Amino acid sequence: MRVLFAAPDALWPAWAPVLTRLAPEMDLVRDADADPAGIDAIILAPGGPVGDLSPFVNARLVQSLWAGVERIVTNPTLTQPLARMVDPGLARGMAEYCAGWTLRAHLGMDAYAQDGVWRNDLTPSLAGARQVTILGMGELGRSVAAMLGGIGFRIAGFSASGRAVPGVEVVDPADLGRALSGAEILINLLPDTDRTRGLLDAGRLALLPGGAWLINPGRGTVLDDDALLAALDRGRLGHAVLDVFRTEPLPPGHPFWTHPRITVTPHVAAETRVETAAPVAVENLRRAMAGRPVLHLVDRQKGY
């Protein structure tokens, strides 16, 4: 099979040797201008050299290297089946990120200033006394729920489908308000779609308990930035940990950088790791070539 690696040049040295080792039958190329009709599949990451997918008339699959596909699925030249990246390393990285910041919020680690004052009256409750609500119960949400549930937190989850998840109280859109009202720690893992943009607006942020923490490693478009700043300034929310933004990199002058109740991390919560993602990509390429069902196929109507 002839596969076009349509990703930024910086990714080639890490990905190419692993992909060709795992799939020696693959002819992995970087330049398909001479014969686009001869490409059987495309491995794609935004920012790469390919914007127009229409010449690749015989490509059976576009395999994204990212979990989020909003920058691909909206491409009007995309006619091929599209698969998003779901790999165990990415899910594990997201779970560890969310667990770390959830424990920081739960344990009140910031309360212990190193100023010589003995604050032994600040004893946190046990995890079972605190509810964590996760918005988005896909692969990443379920991984986060499993890790936090293992620590002992009470987990509620919001899902568009309302599909059951073991150990999690899952609510559908009709009960979103109830899920938010109990969310002492709120984790957003929703994708960027027409239905999710601006979902966490002033009204919904006001439903959170006083002092609640917001952790957003999902998509920046889900959050109303001005509403968040207002809620933090009023003392309604305790803190926000933000890993994703409407504009990335986050501009140096953005108020998030200097707000005392905001922690900015530079979109590092869940990186695609070659060692765990390459086998997923190879499996999908082989499935596409054999005419078998592709894993993690994107629903064009839903956008994920």
Side-chain angles (χ1 to χ4, degrees), residues 53-89:
L53 295 166
S54 57
F56 304 98
V57 293
N58 294 316
R60 304 183 193 181
L61 176 68
V62 174
Q63 172 65 59
S64 172
L65 294 185
W66 290 7
V69 294
E70 62 272 8
R71 290 174 59 184
I72 305 173
V73 75
T74 54
N75 186 331
T77 69
L78 176 71
T79 57
Q80 305 85 350
L82 171 66
R84 59 193 178 90
M85 176 54 66
V86 177
D87 82 275

Side-chain angles (χ1 to χ4, degrees), residues 3-298:
V3 178
L4 174 64
F5 189 81
D9 290 342
L11 300 182
W12 176 261
W15 280 88
V18 179
L19 288 169
T20 53
R21 174 175 54 82
L22 292 174
E25 75 275 22
M26 181 194 308
D27 177 18
L28 188 65
V29 300
R30 302 173 73 180
D31 183 4
D33 289 344
D35 183 21
I39 294 298
D40 297 310
I42 302 170
I43 294 175
L44 183 67
V50 176
D52 184 1
L53 295 166
S54 57
F56 304 98
V57 293
N58 294 316
R60 304 183 193 181
L61 176 68
V62 174
Q63 172 65 59
S64 172
L65 294 185
W66 290 7
V69 294
E70 62 272 8
R71 290 174 59 184
I72 305 173
V73 75
T74 54
N75 186 331
T77 69
L78 176 71
T79 57
Q80 305 85 350
L82 171 66
R84 59 193 178 90
M85 176 54 66
V86 177
D87 82 275
L90 192 151
R92 176 75 188 191
M94 180 63 81
E96 291 182 2
Y97 178 95
C98 292
W101 290 105
T102 296
L103 283 170
R104 173 184 168 184
H106 166 63
L107 295 173
M109 291 179 177
D110 297 330
Y112 302 102
Q114 303 302 292
D115 56 4
V117 177
W118 191 254
R119 296 180 176 86
N120 67 341
D121 58 330
L122 301 177
T123 303
S125 60
L126 296 178
R130 196 178 303 278
Q131 177 175 312
V132 178
T133 296
I134 302 169
L135 303 181
M137 293 305 299
E139 188 80 17
L140 297 181
R142 294 193 298 273
S143 295
V144 172
M147 186 171 287
L148 293 177
I151 295 171
F153 290 103
R154 292 183 290 109
I155 309 296
F158 167 76
S159 167
S161 67
R163 181 177 60 181
V165 176
V168 179
E169 180 192 0
V170 178
V171 303
D172 60 22
D175 283 329
L176 175 59
R178 180 166 61 86
L180 293 175
S181 66
E184 297 170 84
I185 300 171
L186 178 66
I187 299 174
N188 173 54
L189 294 173
L190 291 169
D192 175 27
T193 69
D194 291 340
R195 292 168 57 180
T196 64
R197 288 181 199 120
L199 182 72
L200 294 179
D201 57 13
R204 292 190 176 93
L205 290 175
L207 297 175
L208 297 171
W213 275 52
L214 168 65
I215 301 170
N216 185 18
R219 284 292 178 261
T221 55
V222 176
L223 181 63
D224 182 324
D225 292 357
D226 292 336
L228 173 65
L229 289 168
L232 290 167
D233 289 341
R234 291 197 306 271
R236 176 66 188 170
L237 298 184
H239 200 90
V241 179
L242 307 177
D243 187 59
V244 289
F245 309 92
R246 291 175 180 268
T247 300
E248 295 187 6
L250 187 67
H254 197 286
F256 284 171
W257 282 113
T258 56
H259 198 287
R261 293 190 177 189
I262 292 178
T263 299
V264 169
T265 60
H267 204 146
V268 295
E271 288 293 312
T272 300
R273 293 166 170 83
V274 178
E275 61 273 17
T276 55
V280 176
V282 167
E283 172 66 16
N284 253 358
L285 293 172
R286 286 175 173 156
R287 283 171 173 260
M289 294 305 103
R292 295 187 289 130
V294 171
L295 303 173
H296 317 304
L297 194 64
V298 172

